[in-house]
Amino acid sequence: RCSVDNRVTRVAWLNRSSILYAGNDKWCLDPRVVLLANTKTQYSIQIQDVDVYDEGPYTCSVQTDNHPKTSRVHLIVQVSPKIVEISADISINEGGNVSLTCIATGRPDPTITWRHISPKAVGFISEDEYLEITGITREQSGEYECSASNDVSAPVVQRVKVTVNYPPYISDAKSTGVPVGQKGILLCEASAVPSADFQWYKDDKRLAEGQKGLKVENKPFFSRLTFFNVSEQDYGNYTCVASNQLGNTNASMILYGE
C-alpha cells in the first residue's frame, strides 16, 4: 500500500528498477501483479501466489506539484521447512560406524535436530544436519527422527530406522527336575539380530524334530524342548545352540529326576 493525498498528480510502483504500474497502466507482464486501488488516498498493488523470487525492494513513486517523492518497502518471503534429503533405513553390525544425513530447505534456514526416539526419546543427540555414531551398540538401534523447524510453520519430521545386528546371547537356560511319567520342559532364551536359529543336543547327539515323545518349538527369541512322558532314559545333559550369521553360543542344562 502507498498512501497519497490530493496534491499527487502521478503515481507508479517499481520493483528494483522495473516499472510495475504507472497510474492505471500495467507495465509488467507478470499476471500475478494486479492493481488493487488508485484513489485520492491510496495507491496499492497486490502480488498473488508469492514466490521467493519476489523478495526485494518495492518503490512507490509519486509526483506532487513538482516534487517527486518515493517510499520504499522491502518484501521478505518466508518458506516453510521441507526435508529434501534423508538417509535410508540402515542395517549395521554392532561396533560399526553410522552416518545419518538430513538436508532441509526453508526461509529462514531451518534448524535441524536429531533424536533417538525408540524405545523412548531422550532429548536431542545432534543439533546438526549430520548424526555420527561410532562403535554403535545394540541399545542404540531403533528409530532416529530428524526435525526441521524455522517458525514459519510447524516443524517437519522424518524417521530413519537403524537395525543393529549382533550374535546370539543366551539369557536364560535353567536345569529342570521332573518325575518319571510327567511332562517336562527345557527352555532356552536368546536375544540376537537377526533372530537366532536353535538346535538341541543330548550329550553329542542332535535331537531331531518329530523324535518320538519329543517336541521342539522354535520362536524368534526362544526354543522350547518338551518331553510328553519323561522316562529314565530322558534324564541327562542337554545343550542348546543358538546361531545366526554373526556367530553362535551354547548353554547346557540338565533334566533330572526329583
Side-chain angles (χ1 to χ4, degrees), residues 9 16 29 36 47 56 64 67 70 107 115 120 130 133 147 149-151 161 171 190 196 211 216 218 223 227 238 251:
T9 55
R16 297 181 178 86
L29 297 172
L36 275 190
I47 305 164
T64 59
H67 294 294
T70 59
R107 290 166 73 120
R115 58 189 194 137
K120 59 179 187 289
Y130 306 102
I133 306 171
S147 172
S149 61
N150 68 357
D151 295 332
K161 186 177 181 185
S171 53
Q211 209 165 309
V216 179
N218 289 334
S223 180
F227 304 83
Y238 290 83

Side-chain angles (χ1 to χ4, degrees), residues 9 15 23 43 55-56 71 77 89 95 107 113 127 148 168 198 232 255:
T9 55
N15 176 11
Y43 185 53
E55 182 161 304
S71 177
V77 179
D89 292 349
R107 290 166 73 120
T113 52
E127 303 200 8
F198 293 93
E232 289 280 353
L255 183 71

